[in-house]
């Protein structure tokens, strides 16, 4: 959960988000090195007497061609690795279908019988003490901890986007199209997200809440929900 004056990402709750945060730090270090080199060269040129000896220096041209290429490779290789990891979905333990509406979400547990529900934002007037305004919902998405969850995302009316930052998940919900993503919650907890695609007047009022619980608790909850 983000807090006021926070400058970094939320704490990672999935292996993919840990990889994304590591790549973010790696890219920042590369950018810092580039800025430091450019600042040094600018300072050197402004403070030293210029010489014309390097006008036709092939060595300098070779260096300023190879160095940017090496920097791009340093950024591209880990980026492609993470992209392939995010697209890889192998034998998920649970499949969840998220359907975006104006302005709420419908969830279907396709592996379980008769487990479908709508998830609406809890109005501020009905919000229990200690819960987050504009982020709490009446029905949370419950998933088992340390289990691979495939999420099939679509929409019923306009464009939406199913996004949970702590889990490293953001997938567009497009009418007439099925997109899929996956995550694995590495620890128990409650993780908040919001629709990240402008979808109308109440776009800001369709939050997403994912609760990760031990497998035994998930089985008890699913049995209770299916019997209702």
């Amino acid at each position: 959960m983000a807090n006021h004056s926070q400058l970094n990402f939320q704490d990672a709750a999935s292996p993919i988000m840990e990889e994304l945060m590591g790549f973010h730090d790696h890219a920042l270090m590369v950018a810092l090195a580039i800025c430091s080199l450019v600042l040094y060269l600018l300072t050197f040129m402004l403070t030293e007497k210029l010489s014309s000896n390097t006008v036709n220096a092939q060595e300098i041209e070779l260096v300023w061609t190879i160095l940017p290429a090496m920097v791009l490779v340093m950024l591209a290789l880990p980026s492609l690795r993470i992209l392939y990891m995010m697209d890889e979905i192998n034998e998920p333990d649970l499949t969840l279908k998220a359907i975006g509406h104006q302005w709420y979400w419908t969830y279907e547990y396709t592996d379980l019988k008769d487990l479908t529900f709508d998830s609406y934002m809890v109005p501020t007037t009905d919000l229990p003490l200690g819960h987050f305004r504009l982020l709490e919902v009446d029905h949370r998405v419950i998933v088992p901890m340390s289990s691979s969850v495939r999420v099939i995302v679509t929409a019923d009316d306009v464009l939406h986007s199913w996004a949970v930052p702590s889990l490293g998940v953001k997938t567009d919900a497009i009418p007439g199209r099925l997109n899929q993503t996956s995550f694995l919650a590495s620890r128990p907890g409650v993780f908040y997200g919001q629709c990240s695609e402008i979808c109308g007047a109440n776009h800001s009022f369709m939050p997403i809440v994912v609760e990760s619980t031990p497998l035994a608790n998930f089985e008890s909850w699913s049995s209770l929900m299916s019997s209702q």
Side-chain angles (χ1 to χ4, degrees):
M1 180 65 194
N3 52 57
H4 296 292
S5 71
Q6 179 174 327
L7 299 179
N8 207 344
F9 292 106
Q10 300 180 27
D11 292 338
S14 69
I16 288 295
M17 191 58 194
E18 292 177 1
E19 293 285 343
L20 289 172
M21 292 176 67
F23 176 69
H24 170 263
D25 296 340
H26 169 72
L28 278 185
M29 289 300 101
V30 173
L32 179 62
I34 294 173
C35 292
S36 300
L37 177 61
V38 171
L39 180 61
Y40 168 75
L41 293 177
L42 285 175
T43 305
F44 178 79
M45 293 180 64
L46 292 174
T47 56
E48 297 294 326
K49 184 177 179 180
L50 297 180
S51 173
S52 61
N53 294 333
T54 60
V55 171
N56 297 316
Q58 286 79 16
E59 294 83 0
I60 296 297
E61 295 180 1
L62 188 64
V63 168
W64 71 38
T65 301
I66 292 178
L67 276 182
M70 293 177 60
V71 169
L72 291 177
V73 170
M74 291 174 59
L75 293 175
L77 290 181
S79 175
L80 289 173
R81 171 177 168 269
I82 296 176
L83 281 175
Y84 278 109
M85 290 175 60
M86 295 176 70
D87 286 338
E88 194 74 18
I89 303 177
N90 290 324
E91 298 182 359
D93 300 312
L94 179 68
T95 298
L96 172 71
K97 186 176 182 181
I99 306 172
H101 306 271
Q102 289 182 313
W103 289 270
Y104 64 96
W105 294 96
T106 296
Y107 296 103
E108 300 177 4
Y109 287 76
T110 58
D111 298 323
L112 305 175
K113 185 179 180 181
D114 299 329
L115 185 47
T116 302
F117 56 85
D118 296 331
S119 180
Y120 290 86
M121 184 193 75
V122 177
T124 304
T125 53
D126 301 332
L127 196 65
L129 184 65
H131 288 236
F132 295 107
R133 175 178 171 269
L134 302 183
L135 288 177
E136 194 55 69
V137 296
D138 55 357
H139 291 96
R140 295 176 174 177
V141 176
I142 311 296
V143 297
M145 181 183 65
S146 302
S147 299
S148 177
V149 180
R150 174 175 59 184
V151 185
I152 299 175
V153 184
T154 186
D156 186 53
D157 36 42
V158 299
L159 292 177
H160 301 278
S161 184
W162 201 81
V164 184
S166 294
L167 299 174
V169 176
K170 183 182 183 297
T171 303
D172 288 341
I174 304 173
R177 179 187 176 99
L178 294 177
N179 290 332
Q180 71 173 359
T181 185
S182 67
F183 66 88
L184 186 149
S186 54
R187 58 184 171 86
V190 180
F191 313 111
Y192 295 89
Q194 291 177 298
C195 176
S196 298
E197 189 74 40
I198 297 177
C199 56
N202 291 331
H203 157 69
S204 302
F205 308 115
M206 48 182 306
I208 302 159
V209 182
V210 178
E211 183 175 348
S212 171
T213 64
L215 181 58
N217 293 6
F218 171 77
E219 291 176 343
S220 301
W221 171 83
S222 60
S223 299
L224 178 63
M225 292 291 292
S226 298
S227 62
Q228 292 180 356

